[in-house]
Amino acid sequence: MQGSAVQAKFYARPTESVARGLLGHILVSDVGGRRHQTAGRIVEVEAYVGPHDPACHAYGHRRTPRTEPLYGPPGTAYVYFTYGMHWCLNAVTEPQEFPAAVLIRALEPLAGFATMRKRRGKEPLCSGPARLCEALGVTGALNGVSLQRGVLRILEGTRPRKRDIVAGPRIGITQATNWPLRYYLKGSPWVSAVR
DNA sequence: ACGCAGATTTTCT
DNA sequence: GAAAATCTGCGTT
């Protein structure tokens, strides 16, 4: 998988812009070695915009061991564990010390289908934040790593047309449910299902 | 196709 | 003790 990595400067901006801008880019994982490389095009994301966002883990500047990566440099991974069994992957945004991130919710699978099927055991492979983590082998071991080099990378992809980006309420949260901070590609069959 | 409950553990109250 | 940025399996329609 080739292409230039998205640079830190891209992430050091308002989280909603980064979220929209990530659509169409490519997430690559070399977890388990390059022979088991997996990759997909980002088709669905959610913005968690900072201490003033009741749904953000760092709401009210809750700085704990868990939320520490949110305060780290832009362009790194925030991987958290939830519901007793699932990992979810975020890209940390905004300047260092401002705790915000973009949750990667769904990918269009592009490479490493056999590895993804083996890890997942079933379809869909990458439609849902915990599903794509399982398919790409993402766990807490990757919490805080760079997304510009190393085993997890986000590469420049094809930028979608603006009119193909849809905004709507975030999923699975109980706070600030009417902020339209979920973005996805219109008509994509890889977007996760809404309950 | 839809709805509901179970899984399982970290984190904070 | 309860909730959590979820997913799956099983029941019913």
Side-chain angles (χ1 to χ4, degrees), chain A residues 27-29 31 38-39 107 116 119 126 132-138:
Chain A
L27 176 62
V28 182
S29 164
V31 170
T38 48
L107 307 175
M116 291 197 271
R119 287 179 178 147
C126 295
L132 73 88
C133 280
E134 189 173 24
L136 270 59
V138 174

Side-chain angles (χ1 to χ4, degrees), chain A residues 49-69:
Chain A
V49 296
H52 57 295
D53 176 1
C56 184
H57 287 167
Y59 178 53
H61 270 296
R62 234 176 350 226
R63 190 164 185 162
T64 66
R66 181 214 206 188
T67 61
E68 191 59 32

Side-chain angles (χ1 to χ4, degrees), chain A residues 69-70 72-73 75-79 89-90 92 139-147:
Chain A
L70 288 170
T76 55
Y78 169 50
V79 184
L89 170 67
N90 297 250
V92 173
T139 68
L142 297 179
N143 197 20
V145 303
S146 169
L147 294 173

Side-chain angles (χ1 to χ4, degrees), chain A residues 106-194:
Chain A
L107 307 175
E108 170 188 349
L110 292 182
F113 288 84
T115 300
M116 291 197 271
R117 286 200 193 95
K118 187 168 186 181
R119 287 179 178 147
R120 284 272 305 135
K122 61 178 72 65
E123 307 267 339
L125 296 174
C126 295
S127 299
R131 289 169 178 162
L132 73 88
C133 280
E134 189 173 24
L136 270 59
V138 174
T139 68
L142 297 179
N143 197 20
V145 303
S146 169
L147 294 173
Q148 294 140 72
R149 65 197 71 84
V151 294
L152 256 195
R153 301 181 302 284
I154 294 179
L155 310 181
E156 300 280 348
T158 53
R159 205 55 80 82
R161 293 178 303 183
K162 241 178 202 162
R163 64 175 174 277
D164 288 333
I165 298 178
V166 186
R170 294 175 291 185
I171 295 180
I173 56 171
T174 56
Q175 300 293 315
T177 51
N178 30 7
W179 293 12
L181 294 178
R182 172 175 177 250
Y183 305 101
Y184 59 96
L185 293 185
K186 188 186 208 171
S188 171
W190 308 107
V191 168
S192 68
V194 196

